[in-house]
Amino acid sequence: MTAKDDDKVRLDKWLWAARFYKTRALAKAAIEGGKVHHRGERCKPGKEPRVGDEYVLRSGFESRTVVVLALSAVRRGAPEAQLLYRETEESVVRREQAAALRKAGGLGMQTDGRPSKKQRRQLQHFSDAQQVVHPWADED
């Protein structure tokens, strides 16, 4: 990282350089979509992050809280990109717990596959019995 990198960097460029997003356009879209927060408020793509700032990044099911350790406008390899930030301990624990819950919930939803012909008839009979006939409906 050169002295030029430490001057001023846009938030979307820093997120891209830290490898949170594959392109700057995706980083900008995430920021504009309200997925990046600083001190509980939404950010703008042109915001200039500073060392020590804390950002909350949401992506899909995951939400991570990161602290800026260094600034860079250049995208490098993953090991170098990880030196730009540190994820908080609470964030790591929260993500691991959420992943474990998703995994456990997914296992409970296994089925035996498609229903048999008999089971389909039973389902159809059950759904027909659940339909409510309104007295004011026209009879054919």
Side-chain angles (χ1 to χ4, degrees), residues 64-124:
R64 62 177 68 201
T65 305
V66 297
V67 178
V68 178
L69 297 179
L71 299 176
S72 176
V74 180
R75 187 175 170 102
R76 301 187 192 270
E80 291 181 46
Q82 290 174 351
L83 299 175
L84 298 177
Y85 65 92
R86 176 184 51 84
E87 187 172 1
T88 62
E89 324 278 319
E90 302 87 29
S91 175
V92 173
V93 170
R94 192 172 53 239
R95 279 191 314 113
E96 289 173 352
Q97 288 175 346
L101 285 174
R102 284 195 309 273
K103 186 176 181 183
L107 294 177
M109 296 174 64
Q110 290 181 344
T111 63
D112 295 331
R114 295 174 56 180
S116 66
K117 188 172 183 178
K118 182 179 178 182
Q119 290 169 333
R120 280 196 302 273
R121 273 192 245 117
Q122 289 172 339
L123 284 169
Q124 185 63 42

Side-chain angles (χ1 to χ4, degrees), residues 17-71:
R19 294 186 162 265
F20 287 110
Y21 301 98
K22 286 187 175 186
T23 64
R24 277 188 64 190
L26 288 175
K28 183 178 178 188
I31 294 168
E32 290 174 344
K35 307 284 191 229
V36 180
H37 291 257
H38 176 62
R39 295 183 183 169
E41 295 182 9
R42 293 172 63 161
C43 300
K44 292 186 178 180
K47 179 174 176 44
E48 295 174 1
R50 293 189 175 90
V51 174
D53 282 355
E54 190 172 285
Y55 290 95
V56 177
L57 312 170
R58 285 187 299 121
S59 175
F61 291 114
E62 294 184 351
S63 175
R64 62 177 68 201
T65 305
V66 297
V67 178
V68 178
L69 297 179
L71 299 176

